[in-house]
Amino acid sequence: MSSAIQIHAGKTALEHLRTNGLHASDIAVIPAAAGGPKGLILQALDQWLFGEWLPSAPRERSLIGASIGAWRMAAASHADPVAAFQRLGDLYCEQRYPEKPSARYVTDEIQRLLQAFIGGHEDEIVYQPLHRLHLLAVRGRGLLAAPQSSAKAKAGFVAATFSNLASRAKLAKHMDRVVIGDMRDPLFWLKAKFDHFDTHFSSLTPDNLEPALLASGTLPLIMEPVRHIPHAPTGTYWDGGIIDYHLALPYSRLTGGKEGGLVLYPHFTDHIVPGWLDKPLPWRRGSLGKDRHWLDNVIMISPSPAFLRTLSRGKLPDRKDFFYYGTDHDFRIQNWKLAIAESGRMRDAFAAFVEQPDLSQVLPL
């Protein structure tokens, strides 16, 4: 019977698996990608990881995410992560929009979702005893610094798209990376400059958790930009996935000879795309180019092709489903929840691997 998951590992991580197997105490960082509804397929795996496996070996861990990934890592940081992941999945599925919603309508809907998700839990998330939560957002520069209309924002994103086509270095002229995170975490591996983007680090607090989560998931032109986040640099904010879609970050800096420097990456696909604008550019992948060694200590878990074929429409839930199902919200919600229920097979497959690692299952990253 085909496994529900694929496992990819960088060369350092693969050597660790060969020698030591995989233990919860090995895991130092958990990244979480942007990608909207696709992230829902990880629900049962997330619940097991954060509700059972990782707590079996308590230690400080850095959780870092963009967009839906930021929301998932906020769920992981609740006192009851299993219930929080369930609530996030239910609220996300239950979104309902008219045929052509305004940017204001979508923003208001997402604000309501986030309030229902984290309302009353802000302190337990921000002051989680062991998890160190970091949320990624993008701050506009140039035409995107403070656009006064959607037309001006659109012009700014068109310019950014053409710059990115030339190189990610040129995209850095249009936007900065902002990390709103736990200041108890030294985060040395991320704070030393590693790419062309200016990166700002701001403190995550109970009063900026909701606007930071909103900014991290603010889709350009579909939602209103976030124009103020307390304790963060002044500016106009959008989705963290624009720069860091699948979080192609310098994880290999973690190792430095230390034990327990592995990165566990539950992901919804089998490759890492650096930025949202890189999706149509197959030569832009985390496993290619001069920075591919960044992934040496990463273990990535993703749904297998055989698993995907069993889902409704043979694919993960995604944003296009809002158009495919239109205003037949109940049918979309039913199919999304059926897909989420199937995620238990991914959880069981990874739990079995942890119990008895089969290296023939592990592919190079």
Side-chain angles (χ1 to χ4, degrees):
M1 184 176 167
S2 299
S3 176
I5 58 171
Q6 296 181 99
I7 301 172
H8 290 77
K11 61 182 183 181
T12 309
L14 184 57
E15 189 53 44
H16 180 99
L17 289 172
R18 278 199 191 100
T19 310
N20 306 294
L22 184 61
H23 303 279
S25 56
D26 300 328
I27 307 305
V29 174
I30 297 99
K38 297 186 189 85
L40 300 177
I41 203 61
L42 301 168
Q43 185 184 91
L45 179 59
D46 283 338
Q47 287 173 315
W48 181 76
L49 288 173
F50 291 101
E52 191 173 326
W53 190 56
L54 295 172
S56 73
R59 59 167 288 181
E60 286 189 17
R61 294 184 175 93
S62 303
L63 315 186
I64 184 164
S67 201
I68 187 72
W71 301 1
R72 285 174 47 229
M73 294 302 95
S77 299
H78 278 69
D80 184 349
V82 175
F85 278 114
Q86 184 67 49
R87 188 166 67 253
L88 174 60
D90 290 346
L91 288 165
Y92 201 102
C93 286
E94 294 286 348
Q95 292 176 80
R96 293 168 186 260
Y97 296 100
E99 250 180 66
K100 291 185 179 176
S102 67
R104 183 73 262 161
Y105 187 102
V106 178
T107 302
D108 289 344
E109 182 75 6
I110 297 299
Q111 281 181 306
R112 283 192 291 272
L113 184 162
L114 289 173
Q115 183 57 42
F117 169 43
I118 62 164
H121 298 274
E122 291 86 354
D123 282 13
E124 72 192 61
I125 295 168
V126 171
Y127 302 123
Q128 221 278 354
L130 294 173
H131 296 338
R132 304 292 180 249
L133 177 63
H134 302 281
L135 313 175
L136 292 165
V138 157
R139 185 179 73 145
R141 300 176 66 156
L143 293 174
L144 295 173
Q148 295 306 304
S149 67
S150 59
K152 288 181 177 175
K154 188 171 186 177
F157 279 108
V158 167
T161 300
F162 279 108
S163 292
N164 185 74
L165 194 57
S167 73
R168 273 185 49 93
K170 287 188 165 54
L171 181 63
K173 299 184 191 314
H174 299 269
M175 52 193 70
D176 296 342
R177 175 190 290 114
V178 181
V179 183
I180 301 158
D182 192 327
M183 288 296 157
R184 295 172 296 177
D185 189 349
L187 216 63
F188 297 129
W189 62 275
L190 195 62
K191 284 186 174 172
K193 193 165 177 66
F194 60 91
D195 64 8
H196 290 87
F197 294 96
D198 284 346
T199 302
H200 308 270
F201 293 86
S202 302
S203 180
L204 182 67
T205 60
D207 67 322
N208 72 8
L209 175 63
E210 187 182 326
L213 288 169
L214 177 64
S216 188
T218 290
L219 298 166
L221 310 178
I222 293 172
M223 295 170 66
E224 299 277 353
V226 173
R227 299 191 186 274
H228 175 63
I229 301 176
H231 321 301
T234 303
T236 305
Y237 287 86
W238 282 278
D239 198 303
I242 303 169
I243 291 177
D244 295 304
Y245 186 48
H246 292 169
L247 283 70
L249 301 173
Y251 303 110
S252 57
R253 289 175 172 180
L254 271 169
T255 48
K258 288 191 306 180
E259 287 303 310
L262 292 184
V263 176
L264 183 68
Y265 191 168
H267 196 12
F268 47 76
T269 187
D270 61 359
H271 54 273
I272 293 175
V273 180
W276 188 76
L277 296 170
D278 299 321
K279 287 196 293 182
L281 312 177
W283 57 92
R284 297 259 181 97
R285 295 291 182 264
S287 57
L288 304 174
K290 63 180 178 58
D291 299 322
R292 59 186 179 277
H293 65 281
W294 287 357
L295 306 178
D296 282 355
N297 57 330
V298 174
I299 297 170
M300 190 171 81
I301 315 148
S302 60
S304 68
F307 174 86
L308 294 175
R309 284 194 294 271
T310 68
L311 300 181
S312 174
R313 302 183 61 214
K315 67 169 191 62
L316 297 174
D318 63 34
R319 275 197 201 93
K320 292 175 185 168
D321 291 345
F322 284 115
F323 302 99
Y324 178 82
Y325 293 101
T327 53
D328 192 350
H329 307 296
D330 292 340
F331 191 30
R332 172 183 55 78
I333 292 165
Q334 176 189 352
N335 280 335
W336 279 10
K337 290 190 172 180
L338 285 170
I340 292 171
E342 291 298 312
S343 68
R345 294 193 284 127
M346 292 180 62
R347 172 201 61 214
D348 295 345
F350 186 64
F353 178 85
V354 166
E355 186 69 29
Q356 193 168 351
D358 173 7
L359 294 187
S360 70
Q361 275 187 265
V362 183
L363 302 166
L365 186 57

